[in-house]
Amino acid sequence: MKLGPVPWPPAPIKTERLVLRESEARDRAAVIELYASPEVGTYIGGSQPREQLEQAVPEIPGRRPGFFVVELDGTMIGMITLDRRDPDRLGRVLPEGGEAELGYLFLPESWGFGYAAEASAAALAWFAKTLPGEPVVLTTQTANEGSLRVAAKLGFTEVERFEQYGAEQWFGVWTSTTR
Ligand SMILES: CC(C)(COP(=O)(O)OP(=O)(O)OC[C@H]1O[C@@H](n2cnc3c(N)ncnc32)[C@H](O)[C@@H]1OP(=O)(O)O)[C@@H](O)C(=O)NCCC(=O)NCCS
């Protein structure tokens, strides 16, 4: 679900090494690459056939508030998403559900350099400024060690663990005021 009525897009957000910005048509190939990569898909339900993605991904992918393309030296290396969580899913920190949820997907060549943590921290800072005081949640398979490490580095704390999609899931929360 979309994040909701927030001012969008923000001016490109610069971190020490990266730029976060809204998506453009030139990002389509990298978005398809992310969804088609078996390595990227390991803990998120697998990859999708490239031909199917070529049909399904729009000319400008990810045009919604909270979808950030992450660039290194002018090239897309990954994406950060902040979307509203389906209230029917397991895990909840707000009584009515529909929490903002953080997601991060990076191309394998860029793993291990701290980019996911650096970009996510910038996206969370944007979120805290845009919707002050609102919590952000995150779900990841407990087997996804890299993702758990990123969550810990960002200051997410565990709410609960549960079984879903045939795997154990870690469900955590972050709020700007408790960092
Ligand atoms: C998870 C993911 C975003 C991490 O990206 P990244 O840029 O490598 O992450 P960072 O470098 O910021 O941080 C990774 C941390 O986890 C550690 N790490 C990375 N992969 C690891 C692994 N397989 N096992 C153990 N630790 C790992 C790194 O050493 C680093 O820790 P450190 O800062 O203490 O050295 C990336 O692997 C990815 O896109 N995976 C596929 C998509 C995915 O699973 N997304 C999460 C869905 S919930």
Side-chain angles (χ1 to χ4, degrees):
M1 268 189 292
K2 282 188 192 168
L3 195 56
V6 295
W8 189 263
I13 300 169
K14 294 190 173 71
T15 70
E16 213 178 310
R17 297 174 294 175
L18 308 169
V19 175
L20 279 71
R21 56 164 175 80
E22 71 169 329
S23 56
E24 296 172 9
R26 65 184 161 114
D27 305 315
R28 189 169 181 272
V31 169
I32 290 176
E33 193 56 40
L34 278 168
Y35 289 130
S37 159
E39 271 178 287
V40 172
T42 305
Y43 301 110
I44 54 170
S47 55
Q48 293 170 51
R50 200 173 287 274
E51 315 76 66
Q52 209 169 295
L53 290 163
E54 287 292 351
Q55 300 284 322
V57 175
E59 195 183 335
I60 301 178
R63 288 191 92 183
R64 60 178 191 270
F67 184 105
F68 290 101
V69 161
V70 181
E71 250 184 21
L72 173 69
D73 299 329
T75 302
M76 176 172 175
I77 59 162
M79 65 198 218
I80 301 282
T81 52
L82 281 158
D83 290 310
R84 294 251 162 238
R85 203 159 191 273
D86 181 347
D88 293 336
R89 277 175 62 198
L90 290 174
R92 178 165 291 204
V93 296
L94 294 176
E96 66 281 13
E99 297 88 352
E101 179 163 41
L102 177 71
Y104 30 74
L105 294 189
F106 283 74
L107 291 167
E109 312 84 77
S110 71
W111 295 359
F113 299 101
Y115 295 141
E118 184 172 325
S120 298
L124 287 172
W126 168 82
F127 182 87
K129 219 170 49 187
T130 307
L131 295 167
E134 251 204 60
V136 176
V137 299
L138 183 150
T139 317
T140 184
Q141 288 190 19
T142 48
N144 194 347
E145 288 181 37
S147 176
L148 278 180
R149 183 77 195 111
V150 172
K153 273 162 72 173
L154 293 169
F156 278 83
T157 55
E158 181 173 332
V159 177
E160 58 177 315
R161 294 176 186 219
F162 48 79
E163 280 292 312
Q164 201 169 32
Y165 314 122
E168 189 187 44
Q169 309 285 337
W170 184 94
F171 180 67
V173 68
W174 175 94
T175 28
S176 52
T177 45
T178 58
R179 288 192 75 202

